[in-house]
Amino acid sequence: MIKVWLSSDPATCIEGGLEVIPAEINDPDVISWIEIQSDDDQLLEKALRQLQCHPLAISDTLRLRHPPKIEYFEKQIYILYRGVKEAKGNLLFDHQQISFFISERCLITVSRGHSQGLALVKQGKSFAQLLQSPLNLACTAMHFSSRIYLDEVLQFDSVLGELEDELLSAGSDQTLVSLTAYKSRILKLIRTFNYHQRITRVLEKDDGTLMQIDANSFHIINDLNERFERLFSLSSMHYDICGDLIDGYLSITSHQLNNTMRVLTVVTAVFVPLSFLAGLYGMNFDVMPELHFKYGYYLLLGIMACTAVSLVYFFKKKKWF
């Protein structure tokens, strides 16, 4: 699917297909947004070549998995962005790769299916005005997409609080499994947000080599950069909290295990000399001391009882038990 939006002034916006209005796209007085949604690599490559996109940028666009990046070409700024196709909750996202080809008068976006960020831009009240600047339009699309990330990350605060309370009150291995899964998901988000931060930082440092960045564009880029910095810092904080909770749970479990082993060790230490005495007098020899002593049984029981009591008293005095 290929859609085109054309505008010659903020009050005018024409929507159509690439095959219907090809002439207006090259008009220097017209600003256009060409949105391409397709899973067909041949169709994507053919359309992008017709639109005179750089071959290296086309190659990166056709790759199914590629880290987000920004690259400057002779007539275009190429941004590869990792957007959101669907937010499934609990920090699970169906990610979507979106390519932005930004020039002075034209924005080309390529995605393999519906994009929530691009859809939100088209639904916005200021769409016709945004269409006057391809760079602003691209940054706004990324900003809308980042809002989806931000909403999910902020909602995770309450989930993390519940996990912390559960861990402190009645921690279980299932809680540990959940925390480990969340930590893995957050790590993936941190990598994505770090790439996105690099993109906005490059745009912030742009000296107007390819296109002039006016005050409005600078504010939009700065706002987008702050959004990604916030997402990165929040995700890093949640990652550290998950790690601390996991370490805390393991420490508590280890401490409980140590207490259990200490009790078992004391019990074993108490019964070892008793077992020794029982084994000693249980040996089958014809001649043994006190074998025929009338009160030998009671004497041995008394010695064993005194030994056990003495050991228990000693362990309690040392606070080992």
Side-chain angles (χ1 to χ4, degrees):
M1 180 190 72
I2 300 177
K3 286 187 177 181
V4 179
W5 287 266
L6 302 174
S7 177
S8 55
D9 57 76
T12 305
C13 182
I14 303 173
E15 179 181 350
L18 184 62
E19 71 285 350
V20 179
I21 43 177
E24 287 85 345
I25 294 174
N26 297 319
D27 190 332
D29 296 326
V30 173
I31 300 175
S32 58
W33 174 20
I34 304 172
E35 182 186 16
I36 305 174
Q37 293 183 12
S38 177
D39 288 324
D40 189 340
D41 287 351
Q42 292 183 348
L43 184 149
L44 291 175
E45 184 174 6
K46 181 181 179 181
L48 292 175
R49 288 188 181 278
Q50 287 179 349
L51 294 168
Q52 300 179 350
C53 296
H54 197 280
L56 292 178
I58 296 175
S59 176
D60 288 341
T61 300
L62 296 179
R63 290 178 62 180
L64 294 178
R65 292 184 61 84
H66 195 291
K69 61 179 289 188
I70 180 171
E71 193 167 355
Y72 281 69
F73 294 102
E74 184 179 354
K75 296 181 180 180
Q76 287 178 329
I77 299 175
Y78 174 67
I79 296 176
L80 188 60
Y81 176 78
R82 186 164 294 168
V84 180
K85 188 174 183 180
E86 182 183 2
K88 300 179 179 179
N90 292 328
L91 299 183
L92 278 174
F93 295 94
D94 189 1
H95 293 285
Q96 182 181 51
Q97 191 166 279
I98 304 174
S99 296
F100 295 92
F101 298 83
I102 309 167
S103 60
E104 284 282 0
R105 310 293 297 176
C106 181
L107 170 66
I108 303 170
T109 59
V110 180
S111 61
R112 296 177 181 272
H114 175 76
S115 167
Q116 289 194 33
L118 297 178
L120 289 171
V121 171
K122 289 179 280 188
Q123 295 169 8
K125 296 180 180 179
S126 58
F127 173 61
Q129 186 175 356
L130 284 172
L131 195 56
Q132 303 307 304
S133 171
L135 180 59
N136 290 357
L137 188 60
C139 290
T140 303
M142 288 187 281
H143 193 277
F144 277 124
S145 177
S146 66
R147 189 176 70 184
I148 301 171
Y149 281 121
L150 184 60
D151 290 342
E152 292 295 322
V153 172
L154 290 176
Q155 287 179 10
F156 182 66
D157 278 337
S158 59
V159 176
L160 197 57
E162 292 174 1
L163 285 172
E164 186 174 3
D165 294 338
E166 181 181 344
L167 200 62
L168 293 175
S169 60
S172 63
D173 290 341
Q174 184 59 43
T175 308
L176 184 64
V177 170
S178 299
L179 282 170
T180 305
Y182 283 129
K183 189 176 180 182
S184 176
R185 296 171 194 172
I186 293 171
L187 184 59
K188 294 177 183 178
L189 291 177
I190 289 174
R191 287 200 298 263
T192 298
F193 298 149
N194 187 40
Y195 283 125
H196 290 169
Q197 274 192 116
R198 294 179 187 177
I199 293 173
T200 52
R201 285 172 181 170
V202 170
L203 286 174
E204 274 192 324
K205 295 178 181 178
D206 186 274
D207 56 359
T209 304
L210 184 60
M211 63 180 66
Q212 292 296 324
I213 298 180
D214 56 22
N216 187 40
S217 298
F218 177 79
H219 290 309
I220 292 176
I221 293 170
N222 184 61
D223 190 37
L224 183 62
N225 184 53
E226 290 177 353
R227 172 66 59 83
F228 286 135
E229 285 182 349
R230 186 184 181 193
L231 282 168
F232 181 80
S233 62
L234 281 174
S235 300
S236 299
M237 181 187 68
H238 288 158
Y239 180 82
D240 293 338
I241 292 174
C242 285
D244 292 342
L245 289 176
I246 291 172
D247 293 340
Y249 175 75
L250 293 176
S251 297
I252 292 172
T253 305
S254 178
H255 180 68
Q256 292 173 344
L257 180 62
N258 288 339
N259 288 336
T260 303
M261 292 303 298
R262 183 168 58 182
V263 172
L264 293 176
T265 302
V266 168
V267 171
T268 302
V270 169
F271 280 92
V272 163
L274 307 185
S275 300
F276 170 74
L277 292 174
L280 181 66
Y281 283 93
M283 293 186 293
N284 297 318
F285 292 103
D286 288 336
V287 180
M288 288 188 68
E290 297 87 27
L291 186 62
H292 299 286
F293 181 57
K294 182 178 180 181
Y295 300 105
Y297 172 73
Y298 302 104
L299 178 63
L300 183 60
L301 285 181
I303 293 173
M304 294 172 70
C306 290
T307 302
V309 171
S310 299
L311 288 173
V312 170
Y313 173 76
F314 176 76
F315 291 143
K316 280 190 173 292
K317 187 175 181 181
K318 291 291 185 178
K319 297 182 179 180
W320 294 349
F321 180 65

